[in-house]
Amino acid sequence: MAVRETLDLGYARLHVLDATPEGFGADYIRVYIVDAGGPAVAVIETGPAAVADRVAAAVAEAAESRRVEIILTHVHIDHGGGAGRVARILREQGLEARIWAHPRGAPHIAEPAKLWKASQEALGETALLYGEPEPAPAGTVNAASDGMELAIGGARLRVIHTPGHASHHQSILLEPAGAHGERILFPGDSAGMYDPGSQGLAPTTPPPLRLDMYRESLRRMASENPDRIAFTHIGLGPAQLLETHRWQIDVWEETAREALVKGLDPEKTLEVIIERDPYTARLYEKLGGSPHGYRMIINSVLGFMGYIQNLLK
């Protein structure tokens, strides 16, 4: 897997990989490798199992003989489905590899059978495209506490628990070990999905959504004052997108409430959202033509509608 681009942050190099499986129909998943010149390199996400071999090859090339710290924002199979296989391949090549996940998610990386079953029920054919996760090698999976830091040479990575999208979600802040340097936030699915080309932005809010937690997670991430955001879906963007996204989810919530009163289905609700929210409209142009991309967007609508229905019970 070729590196899509490399950013020189001064204190570290950030390699960006495209981890979208063949057949998805749109550019959709990123994996990030952080090399700060220390005894370990860090990998943010692994992508799905379907691309694990290619991701492992790119990571091994970047790591050379160093330890690999794999940090997952959460265990959904488009983000961490390849973690077990990547760790196994690296270990077979003689590299030390550790996986870090939220305490609620870590058991599903060690033994993903229940995760795979739930993924198939939620995603259907898209789950098959992502591929079935394999169990992580014994002793490789670790629980990442809120505020935990990993030092990797001239950089450190700090874990921030950010529930809402999922109870087992965490975000990662990359910052220099010294006083100066750009700070990069990896929000996983806790701040939406963003396409740098079109500047399209939309929520990643499948059921069961906890919108109150999602909002609090956005507030907490914004309070860290990052310089840039490295989205798993789909690329890097400015930190101001956190505020844009806070406005956006207000629009989505209001529209979903009105839709439920009018008896609109999720597809019609999405049409109204697109009319009101230019950021979603732009992202829909990129992803909507792919049945898998469309599923991701409509699942976000379903999350809002389900959350409001639960409030009204």
Side-chain angles (χ1 to χ4, degrees), residues 1 40 67 100 147 157 201 247 297:
M1 175 177 291
R67 186 176 73 252
W100 298 90
L157 294 141
L201 177 72
W247 167 85
I297 296 176

Side-chain angles (χ1 to χ4, degrees), residues 163-166 203-206 208-218 245-246 248-254 256-257 300 303-308 311:
H165 170 84
T204 41
T205 51
L209 170 65
R210 282 296 304 271
L211 190 54
D212 52 344
M213 290 183 177
Y214 193 91
R215 282 195 168 100
E216 173 57 23
S217 293
L218 279 171
H245 193 50
R246 291 167 81 171
Q248 181 175 55
I249 61 173
D250 288 345
V251 173
W252 275 57
E253 181 184 17
E254 180 181 356
R257 285 182 183 276
S300 292
F304 270 85
M305 297 182 83
Y307 172 76
I308 294 166
L311 289 181

Side-chain angles (χ1 to χ4, degrees), residues 180-257:
H180 302 290
E182 188 176 15
R183 303 164 81 238
I184 309 292
L185 175 70
F186 301 86
D189 275 339
S190 64
M193 44 191 169
Y194 173 72
D195 172 42
S198 66
Q199 298 184 357
L201 177 72
T204 41
T205 51
L209 170 65
R210 282 296 304 271
L211 190 54
D212 52 344
M213 290 183 177
Y214 193 91
R215 282 195 168 100
E216 173 57 23
S217 293
L218 279 171
R219 185 206 63 75
R220 188 176 181 195
M221 286 185 289
S223 73
E224 295 288 347
N225 296 312
D227 295 295
R228 262 196 287 184
I229 305 174
F231 293 85
T232 306
H233 312 301
I234 309 166
L236 285 101
Q240 296 93 319
L241 288 168
L242 292 174
E243 291 303 320
T244 302
H245 193 50
R246 291 167 81 171
W247 167 85
Q248 181 175 55
I249 61 173
D250 288 345
V251 173
W252 275 57
E253 181 184 17
E254 180 181 356
T255 304
R257 285 182 183 276

Side-chain angles (χ1 to χ4, degrees), residues 69-292:
E69 305 282 9
I70 299 169
I71 312 174
L72 305 177
T73 63
H74 59 305
V75 304
H76 289 169
I77 61 173
D78 50 335
H79 293 253
R85 185 170 179 83
V86 168
R88 177 175 64 78
I89 293 171
L90 294 175
R91 289 184 63 169
E92 288 173 351
Q93 295 181 16
L95 297 175
E96 181 185 357
R98 299 192 296 187
I99 302 170
W100 298 90
H102 188 286
R104 288 178 177 268
H108 298 288
I109 297 298
E111 179 42 69
K114 290 182 179 178
L115 172 66
W116 176 236
K117 184 175 184 291
S119 299
Q120 289 178 286
E121 292 172 353
L123 298 175
E125 291 184 3
T126 304
L128 300 178
L129 184 72
Y130 288 153
E132 182 177 359
E134 68 175 61
T140 59
V141 181
N142 302 270
S145 59
D146 189 27
M148 184 195 82
E149 292 187 358
L150 285 176
I152 53 166
R156 60 174 173 258
L157 294 141
R158 180 153 49 89
V159 171
I160 306 166
H161 284 183
T162 48
H165 170 84
S167 63
H168 59 275
H169 197 289
Q170 58 191 17
S171 300
I172 299 98
L173 186 68
L174 169 65
E175 53 192 358
H180 302 290
E182 188 176 15
R183 303 164 81 238
I184 309 292
L185 175 70
F186 301 86
D189 275 339
S190 64
M193 44 191 169
Y194 173 72
D195 172 42
S198 66
Q199 298 184 357
L201 177 72
T204 41
T205 51
L209 170 65
R210 282 296 304 271
L211 190 54
D212 52 344
M213 290 183 177
Y214 193 91
R215 282 195 168 100
E216 173 57 23
S217 293
L218 279 171
R219 185 206 63 75
R220 188 176 181 195
M221 286 185 289
S223 73
E224 295 288 347
N225 296 312
D227 295 295
R228 262 196 287 184
I229 305 174
F231 293 85
T232 306
H233 312 301
I234 309 166
L236 285 101
Q240 296 93 319
L241 288 168
L242 292 174
E243 291 303 320
T244 302
H245 193 50
R246 291 167 81 171
W247 167 85
Q248 181 175 55
I249 61 173
D250 288 345
V251 173
W252 275 57
E253 181 184 17
E254 180 181 356
T255 304
R257 285 182 183 276
E258 294 175 5
L260 286 168
V261 171
K262 295 177 181 178
L264 300 184
D265 62 20
E267 290 75 17
K268 289 293 184 182
T269 303
L270 177 58
E271 290 178 9
V272 178
I273 289 171
I274 288 171
E275 291 174 359
R276 296 178 175 182
D277 175 8
Y279 299 98
T280 295
R282 291 176 204 152
L283 193 68
Y284 182 80
E285 284 190 16
K286 180 179 180 66
L287 295 181
S290 158
H292 304 290

Side-chain angles (χ1 to χ4, degrees), residues 50-75:
V51 299
D53 289 38
R54 291 182 287 142
V55 169
V59 172
E61 182 178 352
E64 298 175 333
S65 61
R66 293 174 290 172
R67 186 176 73 252
V68 178
E69 305 282 9
I70 299 169
I71 312 174
L72 305 177
T73 63
H74 59 305
V75 304

